Amino acid sequence: MGKLIKYEFRKTTLSKLIILFFAAAAELLFLIGLFADWEDGFFWGIFLLMACAMFGIFYIGIESILVLSRDLNTKQSYMLFMVPRNSFQILGAKALENLITIAAAGAFFLLIAVIDISLSGIYVDGLNEFMTDMNRILNMFFGNLPTWYEALAFAAEFLLSWFLTITVGYLAVILSCTVLAGKRLSGLISFVLFILLSWLVGTITDYLPELSNLTLNSLLNAGVILLFVVLFNLLSGWILEKKLSV
């Protein structure tokens, strides 16, 4: 399993390096703007860092679906699906690689944001003024500041929600390449199915009871989302086992 995950990481190395390159360039622009009092560089650096974070995490998920589609529609499938591993392991490796990469990217950009906000506040206002401003801003947005475990629970819910979308994308691609292969409008049908399943899961989570404890509420939502992730992955693996012809 470890070798499969390493193989999946290797497939997307170039895109990860490109995202890191643009993030480093944006960070350098931000730092130059901050310490050289260059306002345009400062604000463009912030804008480009935010764009890298949003586009990077979005693209990491989309690329995983595209790689699966390429594996199923090109000769790569002969190499991948004829290794001594079953379809559940192969699909699981793809899912784990994508989940790890998304989590790592989210943590990386969050760390960059914390460092840059801290540098900006300390450089402009000094440490004491910075801490006062940060407390005032956080209290304005959150009322009572969330604890670290409340923040982690919310982050887990957000991460799993995006990962669920990717998992549904896996299922749509697999259906298009197996059950619907060779049929007219197979791509359109699988896309409509992707939209319907995403809507269905979103509707179900909307009807979950609202708990008074923010941590428990986020964990409940994350648990239900994780259940759907497991179910869709099992269904996708079963379809690959029964219907895939390489």
Side-chain angles (χ1 to χ4, degrees):
M1 191 70 169
K3 289 183 178 179
L4 285 173
I5 294 175
K6 191 182 296 184
Y7 176 62
E8 294 300 327
F9 270 113
R10 206 175 296 134
K11 287 181 182 178
T12 56
T13 298
L14 179 60
S15 60
K16 294 184 182 76
L17 290 175
I18 292 172
I19 292 170
L20 283 174
F21 172 79
F22 280 105
E27 177 67 11
L28 180 61
L29 181 62
F30 165 81
L31 292 174
I32 292 173
L34 174 64
F35 293 115
D37 294 325
W38 179 29
E39 289 189 4
D40 287 345
F42 177 81
F43 287 110
W44 271 107
I46 293 174
F47 173 79
L48 291 174
L49 279 169
M50 292 175 61
C52 281
M54 291 185 291
F55 176 78
I57 293 174
F58 173 78
Y59 181 75
I60 287 167
I62 298 302
E63 185 181 32
S64 182
I65 299 173
L66 296 175
V67 168
L68 175 61
S69 178
R70 189 164 63 244
D71 285 342
L72 293 172
N73 288 293
T74 67
K75 291 182 179 179
Q76 285 184 201
S77 59
Y78 287 95
M79 298 173 58
L80 181 60
F81 289 95
M82 294 186 73
V83 298
R85 294 290 186 274
N86 60 48
S87 296
F88 294 101
Q89 291 173 308
I90 293 171
L91 189 62
K94 290 180 176 292
L96 282 173
E97 182 275 332
N98 191 250
L99 183 60
I100 292 168
T101 304
I102 289 174
F108 170 76
F109 283 111
L110 179 61
L111 178 62
I112 292 295
V114 170
I115 292 172
D116 286 349
I117 291 171
S118 301
L119 284 174
S120 301
I122 294 170
Y123 181 75
V124 174
D125 298 321
L127 181 59
N128 291 333
E129 187 68 26
F130 167 68
M131 296 304 296
T132 302
D133 290 342
M134 284 301 299
N135 284 326
R136 184 165 59 247
I137 291 170
L138 290 173
N139 277 297
M140 181 175 65
F141 279 102
F142 296 103
N144 295 321
L145 294 180
T147 60
W148 65 268
Y149 45 86
E150 288 174 340
L152 285 177
F154 177 78
E157 179 188 352
F158 178 79
L159 172 66
L160 285 172
S161 295
W162 175 228
F163 185 60
L164 174 62
T165 302
I166 298 163
T167 302
V168 177
Y170 287 167
L171 178 58
V173 167
I174 289 168
L175 285 173
S176 178
C177 297
T178 55
V179 177
L180 301 173
K183 297 182 180 179
R184 292 184 62 188
L185 303 178
S186 61
L188 178 61
I189 294 171
S190 61
F191 178 73
V192 170
L193 181 63
F194 167 78
I195 297 297
L196 288 175
L197 287 174
S198 299
W199 171 82
L200 177 63
V201 174
T203 301
I204 291 172
T205 54
D206 284 343
Y207 279 96
L208 291 175
E210 289 287 334
L211 304 179
S212 56
N213 186 292
L214 291 176
T215 303
L216 291 178
N217 195 64
S218 291
L219 290 176
L220 173 63
N221 292 338
V224 172
I225 292 169
L226 182 60
L227 176 62
F228 278 110
V229 166
V230 172
L231 288 175
F232 286 138
N233 269 304
L234 288 175
L235 177 58
S236 296
W238 180 83
I239 293 171
L240 283 176
E241 282 287 297
K242 298 297 182 182
K243 301 293 183 179
L244 182 64
S245 176
V246 294

